[in-house]
Amino acid sequence: MVAPALVDGVALGSFEWLEHVVETTTGWAGLAIIFVYSFLIAFALPGVSEVVLAAPLDLGLSQAGRLALIIVVSGLGKAVGSVFAFHIGQEAKESGPVIGFLRRSRFDVVEWSENKTLQLARKWGYVGMALALSVPFFPDTLSIYAFAVLEEDYVKFALATFAGSVGRLLVTLFLVGSTVAAL
């Protein structure tokens, strides 16, 4: 577990400090932070990826250019992170004890994936994965792992994750609109 960090005298627990860094970073180094955050959100961090849209990067670009760059960098980070999750999922589906542990866990990830994600994957394949990942404010780590157990192609998996990540941020911009665009 990560120790709480102090930001402006306020203790931030677990991974809130990382979200705070993303939300307050400026300049070109902020793109690296966005990439790392998106990479980690794909396979390890709880939470949502939309926070990257709030990064106040001062890059000398127009607002649209800044948002486009953030979206592409975040999508690339999540695609690379999803390849790690994909590899872990491939190993897990061959491990009886891992599946047993998941079935006994507090949240039955296997049952959830069989009920919702499996239906999407069977019907729509990688397009279904991209659509599932386009849903804003839903932790996508769970969807990535659920699809990782079902699919077999690393490149298509990464491309679907990239498309879903970009779609998610675009949907968020559409829903939130001028609030995010004013940042």
Side-chain angles (χ1 to χ4, degrees):
M1 177 131 204
V2 176
L6 284 177
V7 177
D8 296 329
V10 177
L12 298 178
S14 69
F15 295 102
E16 292 173 348
W17 65 271
L18 188 55
E19 286 182 5
H20 179 76
V21 169
V22 171
E23 292 171 343
T24 58
T25 191
T26 60
W28 289 96
L31 288 176
I33 291 169
I34 288 170
F35 181 89
V36 169
Y37 178 79
S38 298
F39 172 85
L40 291 172
I41 211 80
F43 79 95
L45 293 181
V48 295
S49 58
E50 292 81 358
V51 69
V52 300
L53 293 172
L57 303 180
D58 182 14
L59 307 173
L61 301 172
S62 68
Q63 183 68 7
R66 181 185 72 82
L67 287 172
L69 193 55
I70 288 172
I71 290 169
V72 169
V73 168
S74 178
L76 289 172
K78 199 177 296 177
V80 173
S82 76
V83 171
F84 274 18
F86 186 80
H87 180 71
I88 293 167
Q90 295 301 303
E91 296 292 324
K93 76 180 177 184
E94 296 177 16
S95 173
V98 171
I99 297 298
F101 170 76
L102 291 174
R103 286 194 188 279
R104 290 186 307 273
S105 69
R106 183 174 168 203
F107 301 104
D108 191 343
V109 175
V110 176
E111 181 182 341
W112 180 85
S113 69
E114 289 170 351
N115 291 338
K116 303 292 180 198
T117 309
L118 191 59
Q119 292 170 5
L120 266 175
R122 285 191 175 140
K123 185 171 183 177
W124 300 98
Y126 291 103
V127 172
M129 177 183 166
L131 290 173
L133 291 174
S134 293
V135 177
F137 311 111
F138 182 76
D140 44 8
T141 308
L142 187 59
S143 296
I144 288 172
Y145 275 109
F147 275 97
V149 171
L150 302 171
E151 301 300 337
E152 298 179 359
D153 188 314
Y154 279 86
V155 173
K156 288 180 183 176
F157 192 83
L159 290 173
T161 303
F162 177 80
S165 298
V166 168
R168 172 191 212 114
L169 295 175
L170 291 174
V171 168
T172 301
L173 283 174
F174 176 77
L175 292 175
V176 178
S178 62
T179 303
V180 172
L183 295 175

